[in-house]
C-alpha cells in the first residue's frame, strides 16, 4: 500500500506540523516515509508545501510526480488549486473553505470555489471555526488533519492520535488534550 500526499498552505498555518504528525504515525507503524519541503520567501505569509510519500514498499524518490498524488491537504483553498496538476484522477482534495487573502491579486472567492467545487472528490470545512468551537483557536491545522484522517488509510486515526500526543507532549498535557479535541472535532 502507498499514499502520496501534498500538504500545502501559507507560512505559519501549521502545514509542517501536520507533516510531522503523519510522519511520526507512519514511523511508529513501520511504514516507509520520504518527505520533501518547500518553504516560502517569508516565515509567515509565503507558500509552504510538503511532499509526503508513505509506502509499505521502499520509496525511491521524495518528490511526487504530476498526476499521481492521492491526497492534497490544504490549509488554504487557493494553495490547493496550485497543486491540482499533481492530483491523480482518483485523488481527493481536503481543504479549508475560508481563504487567507495575503496578496493583492487574490482571486475572487466565487471563481476560486467554482473551480474547487468542480473537482470530483473534495472535502471542505471552515477549520478555523471548528477549532474555535473545540476551544483551540490555534488548532485549525489539527482539525484539517482530522478531516483527512479517513482518507490517509495507510495510518489509522488512532495512530495519528498517538502521534499528536507524542509530538505535543513537550508542551504539556493541556496542549496535547487541546489538539486531540481539535482532531476529533473534524469528525463530529
Amino acid at each position: 500500500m502507498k499514499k502520496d500526499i501534498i500538504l500545502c498552505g501559507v507560512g505559519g498555518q501549521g502545514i509542517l506540523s501536520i507533516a510531522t504528525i503523519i510522519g511520526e504515525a507512519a514511523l511508529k507503524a513501520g511504514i516507509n516515509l520520504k518527505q520533501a519541503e518547500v518553504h516560502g520567501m517569508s516565515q509567515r505569509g509565503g507558500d509552504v508545501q510538503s511532499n509526503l510519500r508513505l509506502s509499505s514498499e521502499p520509496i525511491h524518490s521524495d518528490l511526487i510526480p504530476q498526476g499521481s498524488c492521492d491526497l492534497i491537504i490544504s490549509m488554504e483553498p487557493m494553495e490547493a488549486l496550485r497543486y491540482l496538476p499533481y492530483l491523480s484522477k482518483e485523488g481527493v482534495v481536503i481543504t479549508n473553505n475560508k481563504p487567507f487573502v495575503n496578496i493583492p491579486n487574490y482571486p475572487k472567492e466565487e471563481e476560486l470555489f467554482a473551480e474547487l467545487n468542480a473537482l470530483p472528490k473534495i472535502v471542505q470545512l471552515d477549520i478555523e471555526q471548528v477549532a474555535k468551537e473545540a476551544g483551540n483557536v490555534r488548532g485549525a491545522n489539527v482539525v484539517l488533519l482530522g478531516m483527512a484522517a479517513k482518507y490517509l488509510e495507510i495510518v489509522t486515526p488512532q495512530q495519528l492520535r498517538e502521534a499528536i500526543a507524542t509530538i505535543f507532549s513537550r508542551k504539556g498535557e493541556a496542549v496535547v488534550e487541546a489538539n486531540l479535541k481539535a482532531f476529533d472535532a473534524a469528525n463530529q
Side-chain angles (χ1 to χ4, degrees):
M1 176 175 241
K2 75 152 190 82
K3 201 54 98 166
D4 286 341
I5 306 160
I6 291 179
L7 300 149
C8 56
V10 174
Q13 289 185 311
I15 284 298
L16 300 180
S17 294
I18 295 172
T20 300
I21 293 165
I22 295 170
E24 175 72 17
L27 289 174
K28 282 187 176 177
I31 295 167
N32 294 307
L33 162 74
K34 288 218 185 237
Q35 181 178 1
E37 297 173 0
V38 176
H39 300 270
M41 291 299 290
S42 64
Q43 183 176 355
R44 297 210 180 266
D47 173 42
V48 176
Q49 180 263 338
S50 180
N51 281 292
L52 189 58
R53 303 189 80 191
L54 309 172
S55 178
S56 54
E57 303 297 320
I59 304 167
H60 301 291
S61 172
D62 54 358
L63 298 177
I64 299 170
Q66 285 194 1
S68 67
C69 178
D70 301 302
L71 192 57
I72 294 175
I73 302 173
S74 181
M75 289 289 297
E76 207 291 317
M78 186 182 74
E79 293 300 324
L81 291 177
R82 182 189 309 258
Y83 296 101
L84 286 182
Y86 292 89
L87 193 65
S88 72
K89 289 183 173 136
E90 300 79 31
V92 179
V93 174
I94 312 287
T95 187
N96 185 9
N97 68 5
K98 295 297 177 205
F100 180 77
V101 181
N102 63 336
I103 56 174
N105 59 343
Y106 194 93
K108 294 179 181 173
E109 282 190 39
E110 52 276 358
E111 294 170 6
L112 173 72
F113 288 107
E115 194 166 343
L116 283 170
N117 292 330
L119 296 172
K121 297 178 183 173
I122 183 161
V123 179
Q124 302 176 63
L125 186 65
D126 182 346
I127 59 176
E128 284 92 6
Q129 183 62 36
V130 173
K132 184 178 176 182
E133 290 169 4
N136 183 2
V137 294
R138 296 187 60 193
N141 62 330
V142 183
V143 170
L144 186 68
L145 177 60
M147 289 170 58
K150 70 180 179 182
Y151 299 96
L152 289 171
E153 298 167 338
I154 198 162
V155 291
T156 67
Q158 183 56 37
Q159 289 168 323
L160 291 168
R161 288 177 56 77
E162 291 168 10
I164 289 168
T166 299
I167 298 300
F168 290 105
S169 65
R170 66 181 173 82
K171 294 186 177 187
E173 190 60 33
V175 173
V176 170
E177 290 305 316
N179 280 287
L180 289 172
K181 188 174 180 183
F183 178 83
D184 293 339
N187 298 305
Q188 293 180 1

